[in-house]
């Protein structure tokens, strides 16, 4: 809508749940319409549209990040993966479609009801057999896995998009579970662009609350000698950690 001055305002993103940090909405829309949507598998499009109707749709992985994860998993030839934080399963479906027929995903989330929104689409896509969904907090299960030597180094890729106040707790455990050469991806590591906001900036309560936890994670990953890292401004920021020791 035009401002009172008569100036035309930039068109906003049509993508529901969009988290792009690009300054130009038009440029982000261009990326979606030129490179993402034409290549988006039909099941992912269907799940994206279903999720857009959910009141918590801002929690979903953006379409461009879903495309990025799908290609990344193929590039590293991932077979055994884990996802912490599932929501309706858009990133989960992206992963499942990228894995070979005998690939596996251990999917952890505290809310099965949200997962079941996307489950019929996942089943129709023919990849539900790759998913082992567990409802409940992730940390107790991770602790059990860390105690089991057979689980050490057993995962090719792990994607974390869950409670930001536990990201460092997850990292302390996941570093043992991902294989050397494997990758952990932490989502939302640029956290709405709030990390460089001045102290008196008007931030939403949840953004302000989790901001310090994300800052703490980023500082810890930057000096962790066990991983190589790359922080990318895809979606709301994703940091890839490749385990080297």
């Amino acid at each position: 809508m035009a401002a009172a001055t008569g100036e035309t305002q930039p068109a906003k993103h049509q993508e529901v749940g969009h988290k792009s940090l690009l300054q130009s909405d038009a440029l982000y829309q261009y990326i979606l319409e030129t490179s993402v949507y034409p290549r988006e598998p039909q099941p992912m499009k269907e799940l994206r549209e279903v999720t857009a109707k959910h009141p918590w749709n801002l929690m979903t992985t953006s379409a461009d990040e879903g495309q990025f994860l799908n290609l990344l998993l193929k590039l590293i030839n991932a077979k055994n993966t884990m996802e912490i934080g599932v929501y309706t399963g858009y990133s989960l479906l992206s992963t499942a479609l990228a894995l070979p027929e005998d690939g596996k995903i251990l999917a952890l989330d505290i809310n099965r009801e949200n997962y079941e929104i996307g489950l019929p689409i996942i089943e129709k896509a023919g990849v539900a057999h790759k998913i082992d969904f567990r409802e409940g907090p992730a940390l107790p299960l991770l602790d059990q896995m860390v105690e089991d030597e057979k689980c050490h180094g057993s995962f090719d890729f792990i994607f974390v998009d869950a409670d930001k106040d536990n990201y460092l707790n997850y990292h302390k455990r996941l570093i043992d579970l991902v294989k050397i050469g494997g990758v952990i991806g932490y989502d939302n590591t640029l956290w709405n662009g709030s990390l460089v906001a001045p102290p008196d900036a008007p931030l939403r309560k949840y953004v302000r609350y989790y901001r310090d936890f994300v800052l703490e994670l980023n500082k810890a990953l930057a000096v962790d000698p066990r991983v190589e890292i790359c922080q990318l401004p895809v979606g709301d920021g994703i940091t890839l950690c490749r385990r080297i020791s």
Side-chain angles (χ1 to χ4, degrees):
M1 184 174 68
T5 60
E7 295 178 358
T8 302
Q9 298 298 305
K12 300 304 291 181
H13 298 292
Q14 297 175 20
E15 162 111 344
V16 175
H18 121 77
K19 305 172 185 175
S20 174
L21 296 168
L22 286 175
Q23 292 184 354
S24 168
D25 284 353
L27 183 58
Y28 183 60
Q29 200 65 39
Y30 170 81
I31 292 171
L32 292 175
E33 294 176 357
T34 303
S35 301
V36 179
Y37 291 158
R39 294 296 190 100
E40 185 179 34
Q42 182 59 33
M44 290 182 63
K45 177 183 179 182
E46 186 177 347
L47 183 49
R48 175 169 55 82
E49 292 174 345
V50 168
T51 303
K53 301 173 184 176
H54 193 271
W56 301 344
N57 58 57
L58 279 173
M59 292 171 54
T60 192
T61 299
S62 61
D64 53 323
E65 186 175 9
Q67 183 186 60
F68 170 75
L69 291 172
N70 184 275
L71 183 57
L72 173 65
L73 287 158
K74 293 172 181 174
L75 289 171
I76 66 174
N77 295 313
K79 185 174 181 180
N80 192 39
T81 73
M82 184 193 308
E83 181 162 329
I84 302 176
V86 172
Y87 186 42
T88 61
Y90 186 81
S91 57
L92 185 66
L93 177 56
S94 176
T95 299
L97 290 170
L99 297 184
E101 186 63 19
D102 59 346
K104 298 295 179 186
I105 313 166
L106 177 61
L108 312 178
D109 199 289
I110 59 172
N111 190 321
R112 185 178 184 91
E113 184 177 345
N114 288 336
Y115 167 63
E116 289 182 344
I117 293 172
L119 184 56
I121 299 171
I122 292 171
E123 291 175 336
K124 187 168 65 173
V127 293
H129 65 282
K130 302 179 185 181
I131 300 169
D132 177 10
F133 181 85
R134 310 280 186 93
E135 183 179 23
L139 286 175
L141 179 58
L142 295 179
D143 284 336
Q144 293 177 21
M145 297 174 70
V146 169
E147 292 175 3
D148 186 351
E149 289 288 337
K150 292 183 295 184
C151 294
H152 285 208
S154 61
F155 289 91
D156 304 310
F157 179 78
I158 302 172
F159 182 58
V160 184
D161 183 10
D163 42 332
K164 316 309 170 197
D165 46 346
N166 268 321
Y167 268 27
L168 268 180
N169 290 324
Y170 293 142
H171 186 67
K172 292 173 183 176
R173 294 156 174 81
L174 297 179
I175 198 68
D176 289 329
L177 301 178
V178 71
K179 72 178 185 181
I180 292 179
V183 176
I184 307 171
Y186 291 101
D187 201 22
N188 305 114
T189 59
L190 292 176
W191 198 231
N192 288 251
S194 67
L195 306 187
V196 294
D200 59 347
L203 303 175
R204 294 181 181 179
K205 288 183 179 180
Y206 80 93
V207 173
R208 185 175 297 280
Y209 174 76
Y210 287 114
R211 177 178 178 270
D212 287 345
F213 293 106
V214 177
L215 284 167
E216 186 180 10
L217 172 77
N218 290 341
K219 290 177 182 177
L221 295 180
V223 297
D224 189 338
R226 300 167 296 180
V227 295
E228 297 173 319
I229 69 169
C230 180
Q231 189 171 31
L232 300 169
V234 177
D236 192 27
I238 180 172
T239 299
L240 302 179
C241 305
R242 178 179 179 268
R243 183 183 173 192
I244 57 175
S245 66

